[in-house]
């Protein structure tokens, strides 16, 4: 058998040339391992890479585009309709859209919160660990070694970044659609005060922040689900179904004692941000609740993932 | 480098390593000793516990009982210190299909916090070059063939300089040219002092690449040592003759415990002349070159001090009608089959 002969660099098609390059790498090895684990900034590379992979992925763009379509569709529908939207019908603030285009963004968020936002967040967060496990890349990240705790943190931060991107996308698309199709002027707040255009944008972004925070609890739950399976679709579906079930429970008056504990309870309570001065009490209550969910399900995900045998 | 980098110590050591999945014992009290600097073949049929052992060594799965140390440090306790010095290909390559080959390597490299970002691009390019993938670097992995993915998987193990490489079935899906390149690569890495641990179910591969081997069967370690040790003591000399009794006398006189071979019943009349055979000891000095396996013909010193040609001369001189004579060298395959059972059936 001829292939038992050593083939030092002589074979064609990229056969490794052995000598010098390896010596070079070996020399680098000496210097690298001398300084080896003491590279505190090295850990952040994974977070940068995670955001890169997430936001360069075509699926992420498709999700964000679908979200952007919601306020645009609302704006176009209202613009094309001959009837003025009457107060009290349709989503809140819909009747104000024709007076001030900025309300397209608010209406878009309200329409997206019950289903579209949890759906897209569920897809991303359900994919975090289970997606890597399904591809098999999880074992390579862990033998790199990424560190299990750090990988969980990075995955959660990536999901949180998507939550922010999702809400900002809805708000931005809404503002742009409003600017394009309706008159935009000083905004009359729920408290009766009027604010200028610049501050109106600020309020819109504040609402986006509120909704982002609202989604952090759900993200933690999805991260936990994602550590339970190697089938990402399973974790996605479980997360989305749970968000729907929670909202159904929140609408049943018989379960009123339970409502303050449901992660979706404050999802639509951002009206306080449209008052002058801004009332941050609902923001605080919401943030506290979401932090509770993050702690609980973060701990569960940690407990599960740290001891899990990676067999995929 | 740890001070433990002495000659003669072990790159991987397991003591009574056991892994149980529910009621199934996947790895059963395995004591593995992989010498530093060796190219170590980890052999076993499908489902014999090779990959599970590797997962435990790399801290992907926890041992049910027993201890593992890698590069002189306990695992998984010192995982963060050990793994940056270990390159691994575990149970086939796995990549993000929507990223290019180069982007995949860069992504996995970021997970290693000891990997300097300044040199990342250069190291990725270098690793791709070493496995012959430079031209496909910008192609998405979804467009890669199985063999290309396998090459990329090996490139991933080479992103950083390593003291230990763990390659699980590295030539899976590769064409003969690729298989050859992997062998050359393993040889060159070994030449630079990297310990290479290769699991395989292909004996020829291990015989070609490795200095040491261990054989797994049904979760148990049934043999380990240098290749020569594994093959040793199992050679036979066989004589085909109608004068079986005389042949036995001659061989016994020459110091070989000869005996007539039983005639296979199903052959009946077609069996022809009976065979007489006797075990021989392989020449212990030096390794038998792989190319000579199976048609061993050099006049090495045999067990009783007799050379094969002397045995033939003695037989002929004693009037034995020699109609066939052969020296059968034990290949690793014979050993493997003897130790793991012959059938195609997965044992468990």
């Amino acid at each position: 058998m001829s292939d038992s002969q050593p083939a030092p660099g002589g074979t064609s098609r990229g056969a490794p040339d052995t000598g010098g390059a390896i010596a070079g790498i070996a020399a680098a090895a000496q210097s690298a391992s001398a300084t080896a684990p003491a590279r505190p900034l090295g850990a952040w590379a994974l977070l940068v890479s995670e955001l890169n992979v997430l936001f360069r992925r075509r699926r992420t763009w498709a999700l964000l585009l679908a979200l952007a379509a919601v306020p645009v569709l609302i704006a176009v529908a209202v613009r094309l309709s001959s009837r003025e939207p009457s107060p009290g019908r349709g989503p809140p603030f819909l009747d104000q859209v024709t007076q001030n285009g900025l309300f397209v963004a608010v209406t878009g968020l309200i329409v997206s919160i019950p289903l579209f936002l949890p759906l897209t967040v569920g897809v991303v967060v359900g994919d975090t660990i289970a997606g890597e496990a399904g591809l098999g890349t999880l074992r390579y990240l862990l033998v790199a070694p990424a560190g299990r705790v750090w990988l969980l943190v990075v995955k959660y931060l990536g999901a949180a970044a998507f939550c922010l991107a999702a809400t900002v996308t809805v708000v931005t698309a809404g503002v742009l659609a409003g600017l394009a199709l309706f008159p935009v002027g000083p905004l009359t707040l729920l408290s009766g005060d009027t604010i200028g255009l610049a501050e109106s944008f600020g309020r819109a972004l504040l609402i986006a922040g509120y909704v982002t925070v609202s989604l952090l609890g759900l993200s933690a739950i999805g991260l936990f689900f994602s550590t339970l399976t190697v089938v990402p679709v399973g974790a996605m579906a479980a997360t989305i179904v749970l968000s729907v079930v929670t909202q159904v429970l929140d609408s049943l008056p018989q379960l009123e004692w339970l409502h303050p504990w449901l992660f979706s309870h404050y999802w639509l309570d951002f009206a306080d941000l449209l008052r002058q001065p801004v009332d941050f009490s609902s923001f605080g209550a919401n943030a506290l609740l979401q932090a509770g969910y993050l702690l609980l399900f973060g701990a569960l995900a940690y407990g599960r993932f740290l001891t899990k045998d990676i067999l995929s | 480098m740890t001070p433990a980098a002495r000659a003669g110590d072990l790159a991987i050591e397991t003591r009574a390593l056991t892994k149980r999945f529910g009621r199934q014992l996947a790895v059963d009290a395995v004591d593995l000793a992989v010498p530093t600097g060796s190219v170590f073949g980890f052999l076993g049929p499908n489902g014999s516990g090779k990959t599970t052992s590797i997962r435990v060594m790399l801290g992907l799965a926890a041992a049910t009982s027993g201890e593992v140390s890698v590069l002189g440090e306990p695992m998984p306790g010192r995982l963060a210190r050990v793994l940056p010095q270990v390159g691994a290909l575990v149970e086939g390559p796995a990549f993000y299909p929507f990223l290019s080959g180069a982007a995949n390597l860069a992504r996995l490299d970021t997970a290693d916090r000891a990997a300097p970002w300044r040199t990342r691009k250069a190291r990725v390019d270098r690793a791709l070059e070493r496995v012959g993938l430079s031209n496909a670097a910008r192609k998405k992995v979804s467009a890669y063939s199985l063999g290309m993915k396998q090459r990329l998987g090996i490139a991933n193990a080479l992103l950083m300089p390593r003291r230990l490489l763990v390659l699980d079935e590295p030539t899976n899906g590769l064409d003969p040219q690729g298989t050859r390149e992997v062998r050359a690569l393993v040889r060159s890495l070994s030449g630079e002092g990297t310990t290479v641990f290769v699991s395989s179910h292909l004996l020829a591969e291990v015989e070609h690449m490795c200095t040491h081997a261990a054989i797994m069967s049904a979760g148990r370690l049934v043999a380990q040592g240098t290749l020569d040790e594994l093959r040793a003591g199992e050679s036979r000399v066989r004589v085909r003759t109608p004068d079986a009794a005389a042949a036995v006398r001659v061989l016994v006189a020459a110091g070989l415990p000869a005996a007539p071979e039983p005639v296979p019943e199903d052959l009946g009349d077609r069996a022809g002349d009976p065979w007489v055979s006797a075990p021989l000891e392989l020449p212990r000095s030096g390794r038998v070159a792989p190319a000579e396996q199976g048609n061993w013909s050099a006049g090495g010193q045999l067990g009783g001090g007799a050379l094969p040609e002397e045995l033939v001369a003695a037989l002929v001189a004693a009037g034995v009608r020699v109609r066939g004579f052969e020296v059968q060298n034990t290949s690793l395959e014979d050993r493997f089959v003897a130790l793991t059972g012959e059938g195609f059936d997965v044992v468990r």
Side-chain angles (χ1 to χ4, degrees), chain A residues 135-156:
Chain A
L135 287 175
T137 44
L138 183 57
R139 61 178 182 265
Y140 287 109
L141 291 174
L142 291 182
V143 300
R148 295 194 182 204
V149 180
W150 180 235
L151 186 62
L152 264 188
V153 171
V154 162
K155 284 293 179 184
Y156 185 75

Side-chain angles (χ1 to χ4, degrees), chain A residues 40-289:
Chain A
L41 289 179
W44 295 103
L46 185 62
L47 180 59
V48 174
S49 160
E50 176 67 24
L51 295 176
N52 244 318
V53 169
L54 178 61
F55 286 105
R56 286 201 183 155
R57 197 171 176 177
R58 213 177 297 169
R59 187 180 71 189
T60 310
W61 282 94
L63 293 174
L64 292 177
L65 275 178
L67 284 172
V70 172
V72 172
L73 281 178
I74 292 172
V76 170
V78 172
R79 187 80 176 89
L80 294 183
S81 155
S82 50
R83 274 187 313 177
E84 282 282 297
S86 48
R89 298 193 53 199
F93 302 110
L94 188 65
D95 54 313
Q96 309 212 29
V97 164
T98 47
Q99 277 109 57
N100 194 330
L102 288 179
F103 277 105
V104 174
V106 181
T107 313
L109 267 183
I110 290 173
V111 171
S112 304
I113 282 172
L115 186 60
F116 294 115
L117 280 171
L119 197 104
T120 52
V121 168
V123 168
V124 169
V125 85
D127 198 45
T128 47
I129 299 293
E132 301 276 2
L135 287 175
T137 44
L138 183 57
R139 61 178 182 265
Y140 287 109
L141 291 174
L142 291 182
V143 300
R148 295 194 182 204
V149 180
W150 180 235
L151 186 62
L152 264 188
V153 171
V154 162
K155 284 293 179 184
Y156 185 75
L157 291 178
F162 178 82
C163 293
L164 180 64
T167 53
V168 167
T169 299
V170 174
V171 168
T172 310
V175 167
L176 292 178
L179 286 172
L181 299 177
F182 300 103
V184 172
L187 191 70
T188 308
L189 293 174
L190 299 177
S191 55
D193 301 87
T194 303
I195 56 172
L197 204 56
E199 203 185 339
S200 312
F201 286 131
R203 292 294 172 104
L205 288 178
L206 198 57
I207 294 173
Y210 181 95
V211 178
T212 303
V213 170
S214 296
L215 293 168
L216 292 182
L218 181 66
S219 299
I221 295 170
L223 183 73
F224 170 58
F225 286 165
S226 197
T227 60
L228 299 179
T229 174
V230 297
V231 186
V233 176
M236 294 176 192
T239 311
I240 294 161
V241 166
L242 186 70
S243 84
V244 172
V245 168
T246 309
Q247 291 178 81
V248 170
L249 295 180
D250 201 22
S251 68
L252 296 177
Q254 288 81 359
L255 295 175
E256 205 158 340
W257 55 271
L258 183 65
H259 292 172
W261 302 99
L262 297 172
F263 61 84
S264 63
H265 186 60
Y266 300 106
W267 274 7
L268 290 166
D269 288 357
F270 54 77
D272 287 348
L273 301 177
L274 289 176
R275 298 182 202 284
Q276 190 78 306
V278 179
D279 181 0
F280 277 105
S281 60
S282 58
F283 195 108
N286 183 33
L288 196 65
L289 179 68

